[in-house]
């Protein structure tokens, strides 16, 4: 086929396209990811029984603000990276600041605590399962985001995969917050970060393969 | 980052045609792809002096990629930068598959260079996209042949094939993506 014929073929029957295609596809992926994670949590872990009481506390909302802030930062990055010729933008910086903020908070809490309580603040009661649970709950979001990205054109597959993985991890964490009984900043800073990091590393590793076009 | 006051005529034309194309104007969209293929060709000829016979293949592959990625274009972004990123992605893919590592040193320096010159087609593509099209399953091949090559409407194609109109559209969309994947797998 000559290039002229290919051009004619591609142009034939051009239709009015949806200018919000990218945003809509991400919205669908985000909804699917959160719904999937919620379903998994209800089925496998259950909602914490004292949710109503803890929802009245500031600590609960501080906890929730961690994944929410990471979701905003990484959603901005991922949607930018989905389009050829765009950089990740300021999302990395926002993410770094959020992470740094929580780590700093964790360190300050540890420093202020009596030494015999420090280990407990870091390990809580659930440190062995927390990271795995967050990673597990991020699976639906991971799948949905990679599905969304495969309909787009990321030219930096590794960055895009990492960013999407982090976004999936943050969604998993957000849902996990409604189960997780831990209330200490140092615990969140360590295990929640690790939980989000797992899908991010996986995303970076799989980006080259899954996001080719 | 990008100044709107310094927009080149190429940028202005290409953007106007692409945006009109995305609003359903097939004539403008064809102009866009035509102009793009000339620019790509001139650029690749200069760059790929050791593999001139691949130039037309990469032109075609990039055109298909631009078409498949058209919904990722945002009107507030310079169209030249968007195309440059796609062309670069495809060229690096090609170089990685065909050439030695030392040829990988930054195949494109910047977007401006891609749009410096334009060239008419002289040689044929080595790979025949029509043959690859024939390898697609019927539900993708038929809509593409009837709508995109024969110029039928989606409704006519739907009547003729017994597929629903949305299945025809999905078939075209997925078919063109599958075509790009076939081209990639051949490298």
């Amino acid at each position: 086929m000559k290039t002229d014929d290919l051009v004619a073929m591609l142009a034939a029957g051009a239709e009015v396209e949806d200018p919000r295609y990218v945003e809509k596809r991400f919205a669908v992926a985000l909804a699917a990811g959160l719904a999937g994670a919620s379903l998994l949590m209800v089925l496998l872990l259950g909602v914490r029984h004292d949710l109503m009481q803890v929802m009245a506390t500031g600590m609960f909302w501080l906890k929730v603000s961690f994944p929410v802030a990471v979701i905003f930062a990484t959603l901005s990055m991922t949607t930018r990276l989905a389009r050829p010729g765009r950089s990740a933008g300021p999302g990395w910086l926002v993410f770094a600041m959020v992470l740094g903020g929580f780590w700093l908070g964790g360190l300050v809490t540890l420093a202020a605590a009596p030494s015999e309580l420090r280990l407990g603040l870091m390990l809580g009661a659930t440190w062995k399962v927390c990271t795995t649970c967050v990673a597990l709950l991020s699976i639906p979001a991971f799948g949905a985001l990679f599905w969304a990205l495969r309909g787009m054109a990321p030219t930096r597959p590794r960055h895009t995969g990492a960013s999407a993985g982090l976004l999936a991890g943050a969604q998993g964490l957000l849902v996990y917050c409604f189960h997780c009984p831990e209330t200490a900043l140092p615990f969140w800073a360590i295990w929640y970060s690790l939980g989000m990091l797992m899908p991010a590393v996986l995303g970076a590793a799989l980006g080259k393969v899954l996001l080719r076009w | 980052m990008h100044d709107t006051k310094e927009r080149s005529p190429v940028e202005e034309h290409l953007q106007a045609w692409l945006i009109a194309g995305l609003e359903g104007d097939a004539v403008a969209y064809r102009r866009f792809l035509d102009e793009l293929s000339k620019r790509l060709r001139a650029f690749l000829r200069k760059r790929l002096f050791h593999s001139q016979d691949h130039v037309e293949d990469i032109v075609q592959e990039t055109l298909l990629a631009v078409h498949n990625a058209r919904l990722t274009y945002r009107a507030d972004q310079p169209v030249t930068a968007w195309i440059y990123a796609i062309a670069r992605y495809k060229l690096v893919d090609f170089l990685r598959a065909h050439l030695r590592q030392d040829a990988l040193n930054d195949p494109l320096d910047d977007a401006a260079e891609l749009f410096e010159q334009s060239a008419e087609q002289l040689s044929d593509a080595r790979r025949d996209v029509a043959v690859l099209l024939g390898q697609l399953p019927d539900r993708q091949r038929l809509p593409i042949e009837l709508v995109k090559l024969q110029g039928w409407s989606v409704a006519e194609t739907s009547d003729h094939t017994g597929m629903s109109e949305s299945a025809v559209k999905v078939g075209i969309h997925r078919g063109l993506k599958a075509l790009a994947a076939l081209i990639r797998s051949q490298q």
Side-chain angles (χ1 to χ4, degrees):
Chain A
M1 188 183 280
K2 290 205 180 295
T3 304
D4 270 352
D5 299 331
L6 177 71
V7 164
M9 180 184 103
L10 294 176
E15 298 214 346
V16 184
E17 307 286 2
D18 184 355
R20 313 287 293 167
Y21 168 81
V22 171
E23 290 81 359
K24 283 182 185 166
R25 211 170 155 96
F26 271 111
V28 170
L30 215 61
L34 287 172
S38 306
L39 192 68
L40 273 184
M41 180 186 64
V42 170
L43 291 179
L44 301 177
L45 306 169
V47 180
R48 59 185 291 182
H49 58 277
D50 58 350
L51 185 66
M52 286 305 155
Q53 287 107 290
V54 292
M55 275 173 78
T57 65
M59 273 316 252
F60 176 79
W61 293 107
L62 182 64
K63 169 155 92 169
V64 167
S65 75
F66 188 21
V68 168
V70 177
I71 286 174
F72 276 109
T74 51
L75 186 61
S76 142
M77 276 196 295
T78 315
T79 49
R80 287 180 63 103
L81 288 167
R83 301 174 190 269
R86 299 201 93 195
S87 65
W92 281 119
L93 194 65
V94 176
F95 169 69
M97 279 163 54
V98 170
L99 196 65
F102 270 82
W103 279 352
L104 194 67
L107 282 174
V108 168
T109 309
L110 283 181
S115 58
E116 65 273 18
L117 290 183
R118 284 180 189 157
L119 196 64
L121 284 173
M122 287 191 285
L123 300 183
T126 61
W127 67 277
K128 279 185 187 158
V129 293
C130 176
T131 300
T132 314
C133 285
V134 171
L136 183 77
L137 292 184
S138 72
I139 291 173
F142 192 92
L145 285 167
F146 272 76
W147 160 81
L149 285 167
R150 282 172 63 91
M152 296 170 199
T155 48
R156 294 174 205 183
R158 226 185 285 272
H159 287 88
T160 314
S163 175
L166 204 50
L167 173 53
Q171 285 175 260
L173 176 58
L174 174 61
V175 171
Y176 186 64
C177 282
F178 290 85
H179 166 84
C180 180
E182 304 291 347
T183 50
L185 248 169
F187 180 94
W188 305 343
I190 299 170
W191 306 106
Y192 285 4
S193 304
L194 270 180
M196 289 192 289
L197 201 63
M198 280 172 62
V201 169
L202 189 69
L206 293 180
K208 279 236 151 183
V209 186
L210 291 181
L211 300 179
R212 280 197 80 192
W213 50 278
Chain B
M1 255 7 134
H2 296 276
D3 261 345
T4 38
K5 62 181 183 232
E6 262 195 87
R7 286 178 9 134
S8 66
V10 186
E11 166 72 34
E12 272 179 43
H13 285 139
L14 284 175
Q15 188 182 44
W17 290 331
L18 173 58
I19 289 176
L22 292 174
E23 285 164 358
D25 182 344
V27 177
Y29 190 54
R30 181 160 184 176
R31 274 201 197 119
F32 165 77
L33 292 173
D34 256 335
E35 182 62 27
L36 182 56
S37 60
K38 288 178 192 153
R39 303 276 165 182
L40 284 169
R41 189 176 295 124
F43 174 78
L44 290 168
R45 272 199 201 141
K46 223 168 54 182
R47 270 315 163 106
L48 292 175
F49 36 85
H50 291 307
S51 24
Q52 284 296 315
D53 45 349
H54 285 290
V55 166
E56 213 52 37
D57 284 342
I58 307 176
V59 169
Q60 293 191 356
E61 191 181 356
T62 309
L63 287 173
L64 185 58
V66 164
H67 177 76
N68 283 339
R70 68 196 184 285
L71 293 177
T72 66
Y73 178 67
R74 253 174 85 127
D76 62 359
Q77 184 187 10
V79 75
T80 42
W82 177 75
I83 293 167
Y84 166 70
I86 296 173
R88 187 193 160 92
Y89 180 80
K90 283 296 170 187
L91 182 56
V92 168
D93 228 26
F94 169 83
L95 292 176
R96 205 166 271 153
H98 287 263
L99 302 174
R100 286 175 324 193
Q101 202 60 28
D102 59 9
L104 262 177
N105 294 330
D106 209 22
L108 282 74
D109 293 333
D110 61 39
E113 199 188 344
L114 205 165
F115 299 95
E116 263 169 17
Q117 290 180 313
S118 111
E120 301 291 339
Q121 177 176 6
L122 293 174
S123 61
D124 277 347
R126 294 182 2 149
R127 167 206 324 116
D128 191 352
V129 172
V131 171
L132 294 179
L133 201 56
Q135 296 176 11
L136 297 179
D138 283 356
R139 64 181 186 284
Q140 296 172 349
R141 183 179 54 82
L142 283 173
I144 293 177
E145 280 178 358
L146 296 176
V147 177
K148 304 289 257 181
L149 291 172
Q150 307 291 332
W152 292 22
S153 71
V154 170
E156 286 166 339
T157 306
S158 162
D159 280 346
H160 181 80
T161 57
M163 299 165 77
S164 70
E165 291 197 14
S166 73
V168 169
K169 289 185 191 172
V170 169
I172 294 173
H173 177 77
R174 296 212 175 132
L176 292 177
K177 293 231 159 178
L179 198 59
L182 273 178
I183 290 175
R184 211 169 55 220
S185 68
Q186 284 197 328
Q187 282 187 353

